[in-house]
Amino acid sequence: MSQKELKEAFISNLNGTSLLEISAGLSLLPLCLLCRGLLLILYYLHHGKPVSSRKYSLLLDFLVLVSPLVFSCTVLSPIIFFIPVILAAFCAGIFSKIYSQTKREARAPFGQIVKEFQKVCLDPERIPAITVFRVYVNVLTSISILAVDFPQYPRRYAKAETYGTGAMDLGVGAFVFGNALVCPEVRQECHPTRRRFSHLARQVFSVWPLVALGVGRLLSVKSLEYHEHTSEYGVHWNFFFTLALVRLAASLLLATFPTHKAWLAAVALAVLYQLLLSTTSLQAFILHGSDGRGSRLGFLDANREGLLSLCGYLAIYLASVQVGRWLLQRRSSVRGWLGALRGLALAVLALLGSLQLCQACAEPVSRRLANLPFCTWVLAHCLLLLGSFVLADLTLVFTKLLVKGSSVPCCWEVVQPPDCRGKHGMEAVPVERQDKLSQLCLISAINKNQLLFFLLANVMTGAVNILIDTIHSRAAFTLCILHLYMFLNCLIMSILHARNIVLKFW
């Protein structure tokens, strides 16, 4: 077999892993975020000032936010269930140290701090959990698209061939979910009377970079004879085209359908698509081609997975629009967000119950089909992860109550609206200080140029695969390559962020 055929076989015919293992891996993300925030608060407690060095801030963020993910999806994957326990214990130890030191300074009783915490006012216009979710999905995707070509990346984490739940399968759906959370329909940037024409025209223009990237990837893959998994999207299709068409279709649909009822459109579309899969020959066509033997004759047959799975991804996008609108409802206090967490928990439980029912009555999860179980699974785990980030943020807000004046970049800061002034002793953090802290934040840096980050990851992944025999690499070499690859990408984002450069011209 040629090197190209070896690499294609290496990422083909896989069956995924369990939902429990994926949940364990996802729990690392909010724990890393919490650990980093607690370390910054502890530093402030000891030194009386935040970390002000740009290089030390980047190093801390990379080592705490990125490096654990590289280890957990490679050499530490056999003990993935123990890593969250270790991280949680470490975070508990840091919190205990912070609380014990502030208690010696004659702080208020714990019960009084809890009551004060529930009354704390947060900026209703800024929800850091959404930013963190989108950045972390990008980071995880960037790690996985290169790591999957190394033997240290467990095959069960890679995309399943037909049925199954691999970590990379979830990443595809989470990418669509994260894009929908900040779409114009969620932010309500367009006036209803102008939505049908001007807003739709802007959306058509805004997706051209995705189309251009899709064409660029197609031409580069074919010209370089780069290995590709044909049954993933088809012969000519790729995920950039899927993102572009889903955004266009959603904008067109939401221009005529009430945005606050987007979930109804999502349910109707997902159920109708599943009915077609189950009662017609559509499923057989997607899996086996028009001749039943995997033919790739004609454009539709050659790209049947990418074209027909658009229905499932569109359903995910529409449901995510509804989630985004619900999250942006004004909640000015911690108590309001604790109520929102309960709502997210109930939604996750309902979706997980629906997932079990769908798999029992219809079929297993399939990213290749983007069927109803896949849509339900993606939404359940995305809401679970989003809720975990909100919980981590609220925990950091509580910890900052113990250490007056401390702050954490890309985390909720306490504000004092007129109706909250004088109700508690918290002080608003000056805008200048928040801006300075965001300049030292890797999350803010990646968030400012997310598409560029993903593009650089794809380009560097291709370069590494062309230059290196990844399949036969040893563990130490694999870890060095993955860390260097991620650090270079993060460093470029940090430099652009420090110079306030946003490479967006559409």
Side-chain angles (χ1 to χ4, degrees):
M1 296 176 70
S2 66
Q3 188 73 5
K4 178 177 182 291
E5 292 171 331
L6 278 174
K7 290 191 174 184
E8 287 176 352
F10 194 55
I11 58 175
S12 302
N13 302 313
L14 305 173
N15 298 314
T17 184
S18 67
L19 299 182
L20 187 60
E21 185 170 16
I22 291 178
S23 299
L26 288 180
S27 66
L28 293 176
L29 310 184
L31 286 172
C32 288
L33 182 71
L34 180 61
C35 180
R36 172 252 203 175
L38 291 173
L39 286 172
L40 290 173
I41 294 173
L42 184 63
Y43 180 91
Y44 183 89
L45 182 63
H46 284 174
H47 297 85
K49 60 179 182 179
V51 177
S52 56
S53 170
R54 195 176 301 278
K55 61 179 180 180
Y56 289 132
S57 178
L58 173 61
L59 185 62
L60 173 67
D61 280 0
F62 184 81
L63 290 178
V64 180
L65 299 178
V66 179
S67 189
L69 307 183
V70 175
F71 279 102
S72 65
C73 69
T74 51
V75 294
L76 295 183
S77 57
I79 58 169
I80 189 65
F81 289 101
F82 295 99
I83 300 176
V85 177
I86 296 171
L87 264 178
F90 184 65
C91 290
I94 300 174
F95 178 83
S96 178
K97 185 175 180 63
I98 293 172
Y99 181 72
S100 62
Q101 291 193 11
T102 54
K103 190 176 181 180
R104 287 199 298 267
E105 299 173 5
R107 294 291 307 177
F110 187 80
Q112 182 179 337
I113 296 174
V114 171
K115 290 180 180 179
E116 185 179 358
F117 167 65
Q118 294 183 38
K119 299 176 183 177
V120 164
C121 298
L122 304 172
D123 185 0
E125 305 296 334
R126 181 175 172 268
I127 306 173
I130 294 178
T131 300
V132 174
F133 177 91
R134 299 181 70 245
V135 168
Y136 251 133
V137 167
N138 212 332
V139 169
L140 273 177
T141 303
S142 299
I143 293 173
S144 297
I145 59 176
L146 178 58
V148 71
D149 294 314
F150 290 90
Q152 288 74 26
Y153 189 88
R155 297 300 89 193
R156 65 186 184 275
Y157 289 0
K159 290 177 180 175
E161 184 69 25
T162 302
Y163 295 104
T165 52
M168 293 185 71
D169 293 316
L170 178 63
V172 175
F175 220 99
V176 174
F177 182 93
N179 272 268
L181 287 179
V182 296
C183 70
E185 289 81 9
V186 170
R187 299 192 303 266
Q188 295 180 317
E189 290 183 348
C190 49
H191 192 273
T193 58
R194 299 171 54 196
R195 179 177 298 176
R196 190 169 296 181
F197 300 105
S198 61
H199 168 60
L200 192 57
R202 286 198 300 270
Q203 284 297 91
V204 171
F205 181 70
S206 69
V207 300
W208 77 261
L210 293 173
V211 176
L213 289 173
V215 172
R217 177 177 173 79
L218 172 63
L219 294 177
S220 60
V221 166
K222 299 301 181 183
S223 61
L224 296 173
E225 295 188 352
Y226 191 76
H227 65 277
E228 55 182 330
H229 193 187
T230 304
S231 63
E232 187 176 344
Y233 294 107
V235 177
H236 312 102
W237 204 260
N238 57 58
F239 189 56
F240 290 113
F241 292 142
T242 294
L243 279 179
L245 281 189
V246 165
R247 283 187 59 180
L248 280 179
S251 297
L252 180 61
L253 185 60
L254 294 175
T256 57
F257 194 84
T259 310
H260 64 280
K261 297 292 185 181
W263 69 274
L264 287 175
V267 171
L269 180 62
V271 171
L272 178 61
Y273 177 56
Q274 182 60 53
L275 287 174
L276 290 174
L277 289 173
S278 302
T279 60
T280 69
S281 60
L282 182 62
Q283 178 175 312
F285 171 70
I286 296 174
L287 297 181
H288 307 296
S290 57
D291 64 352
R293 292 177 294 179
S295 65
R296 295 285 175 180
L297 302 175
F299 182 77
L300 177 60
D301 203 3
N303 302 286
R304 55 185 184 270
E305 294 92 348
L307 290 169
L308 294 173
S309 65
L310 287 171
C311 295
Y313 289 118
L314 179 57
I316 294 173
Y317 192 97
L318 293 172
S320 307
V321 168
Q322 188 74 57
V323 173
R325 286 179 57 85
W326 180 76
L327 286 173
L328 288 182
Q329 292 177 7
R330 294 185 68 85
R331 298 178 182 90
S332 58
S333 68
V334 168
R335 183 178 283 109
W337 279 104
L338 290 174
L341 275 179
R342 287 192 291 271
L344 285 173
L346 290 174
V348 169
L349 291 176
L351 286 167
L352 289 176
S354 300
L355 174 60
Q356 296 303 317
L357 185 63
C358 288
Q359 293 195 105
C361 299
E363 58 185 344
V365 172
S366 173
R367 172 206 44 81
R368 188 174 175 185
L369 299 171
N371 55 7
L372 179 60
F374 173 75
C375 298
T376 308
W377 171 55
V378 167
L379 290 171
H381 276 72
C382 285
L383 288 179
L384 178 63
L385 182 57
L386 195 58
S388 300
F389 283 134
V390 172
L391 182 60
D393 267 344
L394 292 177
T395 304
L396 291 175
V397 172
F398 180 81
T399 309
K400 290 187 291 184
L401 275 173
L402 303 174
V403 184
K404 296 288 186 180
S406 62
S407 189
V408 178
C410 208
C411 171
W412 260 317
E413 297 292 353
V414 175
V415 296
Q416 276 201 352
D419 58 337
C420 291
R421 195 165 294 160
K423 289 186 178 181
H424 51 78
M426 293 302 298
E427 296 180 356
V429 177
V431 176
E432 296 80 4
R433 181 176 170 187
Q434 291 184 34
D435 292 340
K436 185 177 180 181
L437 284 171
S438 69
Q439 291 292 324
L440 304 175
C441 178
L442 180 59
I443 295 173
S444 299
I446 296 175
N447 182 58
K448 187 170 282 188
N449 284 289
Q450 287 213 49
L451 186 58
L452 177 64
F453 182 85
F454 188 57
L455 176 60
L456 282 176
N458 276 270
V459 171
M460 287 193 278
T461 294
V464 170
N465 272 282
I466 291 172
L467 298 173
I468 296 174
D469 179 13
T470 56
I471 296 180
H472 302 101
S473 298
R474 295 181 180 273
F477 181 74
T478 298
L479 290 174
C480 288
I481 291 296
L482 288 176
H483 277 90
L484 180 61
Y485 150 79
M486 287 304 297
F487 186 78
L488 282 176
N489 208 345
C490 291
L491 179 62
I492 292 171
M493 295 302 106
S494 296
I495 293 173
L496 293 176
H497 184 52
R499 299 182 179 181
N500 200 28
I501 298 175
V502 181
L503 296 180
K504 183 174 180 179
F505 43 85
W506 56 90

